[in-house]
Amino acid sequence: MVTAVRNFVSEIGSMVVFMTSSLRLLMSPPNRWSEILKHMEFIGNKSVGIISLTSLFTGLALSLQIYLGFKIINAVNLVGPTVALGVTRELGPVLTGLIVAARAGGAMAARLGTMRVNEQIDALDVMGVNTRQYLIGPRIFAAVICMPLLTAVFDFVAMVGSYILVVFLIELDQAIFLEKIRQTVQVKHIMEGLFKSAVFGLVFGLVCTYRGFYTTGGAKGVGEATNQGVVTSMVLVIILDYFLTNLIRLFYLALGIQ
Amino acid sequence: MEAAIQVQDVKKSFDGKDFVLKGLSLEVPKESLTAIIGFSGTGKSVLLKHILGLYQPTYGKVKVLGTDLSTLDPNELTKFRCNFGVLFQSAALFDDMSVLENVSFPLIEHRRSLSPGQVKEIAERKLQMVGLDPKHFHKLPSQISGGMQKRTGLARALALDPEILVYDEPTTGLDPILTEMVDNLILETHKNNKGTTSIMVSHDLQAAFRIADFVAMLDAGQVLLFGKPEDFYKSEIELVKRFVSKGMKHA
Ligand SMILES: Nc1ncnc2c1ncn2[C@@H]1O[C@H](COP(=O)(O)OP(=O)(O)O)[C@@H](O)[C@H]1O
Ligand SMILES: [Mg+2]
């Protein structure tokens, strides 16, 4: 038990060192802009389709459920703002985090794992290339940049879904829908979600690159690293979401923002 | 005789209890082709990794080209490795880059002043040097044969004109014809690049005795015998005799 805790703590420690050293190395030459762009294209651009699709249906389904609930208490005018707050602060970042962790995080772990077991990482090492600077930093950095952008896409498309359901399918008043959202949702709510999503990007970027980078045991090891990376990332996104929400509340409290 | 690599009484333990290298000393003469042989698991790869600065000795010292590796910080060590060209057993080509891009990679990384045209020219010259047909230059590693992958890996190792070429079991797992081709390639490369020191880990005795200037036999984390190939046939050490006769039987 004691050893398990100690191993856990030392693992967390080495992951944090792994992350900070990789990101700090990005500042030193040679610059890795082309690598960062390449990974942003993979993590960001290539996720837009799946994020749009899932967020559209999330908006539709959530709005329908909330509508059915609010009808009982005659509060259907509040469907719009309720969905908007729920999506921007919780569902947007969390679902984007889960989907991108599975898609891009899994691919990163598998790619690095393959490079490790095929000696490609050793080849880089002996070629005098700093592998953390070349392989890890750009991936984590790209994940942190792309997550808020993807979450913004998620938020927007989910609200389009909500609009479609409320205005076209159950035919409530369009002006009320928009006006109530405008009254309730503030920029800080959206920013809250985007901030969370950047943290999620950091988390799955770190966990998946770390697992992939330290893969052992051949092709089977690559599968395990990928699996572990994705599962750990997903669990962490959901757990961290709760604590981040509280942290943001505390932050507001300290600054006197209600 | 000047030494390119000096391994001085190196002891290495990974867990603090058992030593993999047990006071190993070895001097690799400059401009020689030296083979390191020994049974599997005797620490040959671990020794190579010490020479490449990937592992630090628990005790003892490793000097490469006169530089004590323990005096270099991690960044200096990374730079210092440009003195090495390494051919891995699996060739370890970057599978998302073409043959030409693989060979260009170290040049792009370390010779930033070169124009893309110059990089391409050098890479093509290295590929021709190892005998790869230009029609394969734009293929991915997965699209060429194992022998061509080895050639590409060697061209990549040669890209920066390294002082020291390192081969870890370059022929293990290859068929006899390919084995001979790779051995000849190593010998030719060594002869064609005047001034380079080549180190080859092998358990193919025939090849080691045929192409190497010097042979070091490792046993249980120490050098059992270092000398010219003929010294091994004359040796009275029981283990060497056994190893030599085993190797002969294989051939
Ligand atoms: N990173 C490591 N951690 C712990 N033990 C290792 C490590 N690398 C090698 N060893 C051990 O060192 C011994 C020698 O390995 P190696 O040098 O690979 O043998 P070989 O002579 O076949 O190349 C083996 O028993 C191996 O298990
Ligand atoms: Mg070995």
Side-chain angles (χ1 to χ4, degrees), chain B residues 12-230:
Chain B
K12 176 66 176 181
S13 168
F14 289 102
D15 55 8
K17 290 192 297 256
D18 298 319
F19 282 83
V20 176
L21 302 183
K22 299 165 184 157
L24 189 149
S25 298
L26 175 68
E27 297 213 342
V28 177
K30 223 171 199 155
E31 303 184 17
S32 70
L33 199 174
T34 297
I36 298 173
I37 59 172
F39 291 105
S40 169
T42 46
K44 303 183 293 291
S45 297
V46 171
L47 171 63
L48 277 191
K49 286 186 175 163
H50 277 85
I51 293 171
L52 293 168
L54 295 172
Y55 290 158
Q56 312 301 330
T58 313
Y59 301 103
K61 224 188 265 184
V62 179
K63 280 188 182 174
V64 177
L65 303 171
T67 307
D68 180 352
L69 295 187
S70 65
T71 61
L72 302 177
D73 70 29
N75 288 332
E76 289 169 334
L77 198 56
T78 302
K79 291 248 166 59
F80 189 79
R81 293 209 190 96
C82 295
N83 289 313
F84 291 107
V86 185
L87 177 61
F88 288 85
Q89 188 181 336
S90 64
L93 299 176
F94 304 124
D95 48 21
D96 55 346
M97 296 184 196
S98 74
V99 164
L100 193 62
E101 284 167 339
N102 261 285
V103 183
S104 306
F105 184 83
L107 293 162
I108 295 170
E109 278 293 312
H110 295 293
R111 303 272 188 274
R112 299 229 154 210
S113 54
L114 292 179
S115 71
Q118 288 169 311
V119 167
K120 186 161 176 276
E121 194 193 310
I122 299 174
E124 285 177 349
R125 202 171 60 231
K126 300 289 176 192
L127 280 165
Q128 265 148 17
M129 195 188 281
V130 298
L132 198 79
D133 195 318
K135 73 176 180 221
H136 302 302
F137 285 5
H138 295 283
K139 289 184 181 167
L140 288 174
S142 55
Q143 296 165 325
I144 58 178
S145 71
M148 293 187 222
Q149 289 179 5
K150 282 273 153 78
R151 287 181 197 266
T152 308
L154 184 56
R156 188 178 66 180
L158 291 169
L160 296 174
D161 300 312
E163 301 256 339
I164 300 169
L165 276 168
V166 177
Y167 308 86
D168 191 0
E169 312 232 5
T171 59
T172 303
L174 298 185
D175 62 56
I177 295 172
L178 213 50
T179 298
E180 195 174 334
M181 180 217 97
V182 172
D183 288 333
N184 289 338
L185 197 58
I186 292 171
L187 188 57
E188 273 167 39
T189 305
H190 182 73
K191 282 183 180 157
N192 290 340
N193 294 271
K194 285 270 168 292
T196 49
T197 307
S198 305
I199 305 173
M200 173 181 81
V201 164
S202 180
H203 58 232
D204 181 356
L205 274 182
Q206 275 332 97
F209 290 157
R210 182 166 67 90
I211 69 175
D213 304 319
F214 297 96
V215 179
M217 181 169 171
L218 256 56
D219 181 56
Q222 282 182 320
V223 175
L224 191 64
L225 181 61
F226 177 86
K228 296 191 182 266
E230 52 266 32

Side-chain angles (χ1 to χ4, degrees), chain A residues 38-66:
Chain A
K38 189 175 95 186
H39 295 303
M40 281 177 69
E41 135 86 12
F42 177 73
I43 300 170
N45 226 9
K46 297 228 167 102
S47 301
V48 171
I50 187 174
I51 290 294
S52 304
L53 191 67
T54 48
S55 58
L56 182 71
F57 282 90
T58 306
L60 286 167
L62 185 66
S63 303
L64 182 59
Q65 287 296 349
I66 289 180

